[in-house]
Amino acid sequence: QVQLVESGGGLVQAGGSLRLSCAVSGSIDTFNAWSWYRQCPGKQRELFASIINSDSSDSTSYPDSVKGRFTISKDNAKNTVYLQMNRLEPEDTAVYLCKVVRRVLWRQDDYWGQGTQVTVSA
């Protein structure tokens, strides 16, 4: 069974940096998409960083609100997905969740981590 465990969250002052890690039990190169979501208090879960494999190439995607500040990456050898967050703002406070997707023909499986709390103080 695929399991994801996030780590690296915590309390940080505005302008600081954090690197979140998502350890996946399995070979992450067997997945088709790797994503980070965040859920702010009272808000729906929001996709904000992703890697999608297309034609054997990985491409990244970010919303404008975090473009230039956040970087998603992965290390296949370590079966880990990372999110480097720089110049953090109070608005970035949320629970951050890792998600991986595996597509095999008609079947799509989504796997979620439990999330890690990021709190950014002014």
Side-chain angles (χ1 to χ4, degrees):
Q1 183 177 353
V2 176
Q3 293 181 326
L4 285 66
V5 180
E6 301 100 331
S7 62
L11 176 64
V12 64
Q13 291 184 336
S17 299
L18 287 173
R19 188 176 76 164
L20 307 184
S21 298
C22 174
V24 183
S25 62
S27 299
I28 64 173
D29 60 355
T30 66
F31 297 94
N32 307 103
W34 307 260
S35 304
W36 285 95
Y37 287 70
R38 67 182 179 186
Q39 186 162 11
C40 301
K43 303 292 185 179
Q44 288 187 307
R45 194 168 296 176
E46 175 191 16
L47 172 66
F48 68 96
S50 64
I51 302 173
I52 299 176
N53 184 269
S54 179
D55 298 324
S56 300
S57 298
D58 293 339
S59 61
T60 58
S61 179
Y62 309 91
D64 291 340
S65 61
V66 302
K67 188 175 297 183
R69 298 191 298 120
F70 290 9
T71 303
I72 185 172
S73 63
K74 60 183 177 70
D75 187 331
N76 291 347
K78 296 182 178 180
N79 293 328
T80 302
V81 184
Y82 301 98
L83 180 68
Q84 179 66 46
M85 304 186 295
N86 298 323
R87 305 195 307 277
L88 284 162
E89 304 169 354
E91 292 74 19
D92 297 319
T93 295
V95 174
Y96 286 74
L97 304 102
C98 184
K99 172 188 170 184
V100 297
V101 176
R102 178 185 289 142
R103 297 186 180 93
V104 181
L105 297 177
W106 53 268
R107 182 185 178 95
Q108 176 175 317
D109 294 321
D110 299 341
Y111 303 96
W112 291 88
Q114 294 298 312
T116 184
Q117 175 71 46
V118 172
T119 302
V120 184
S121 62

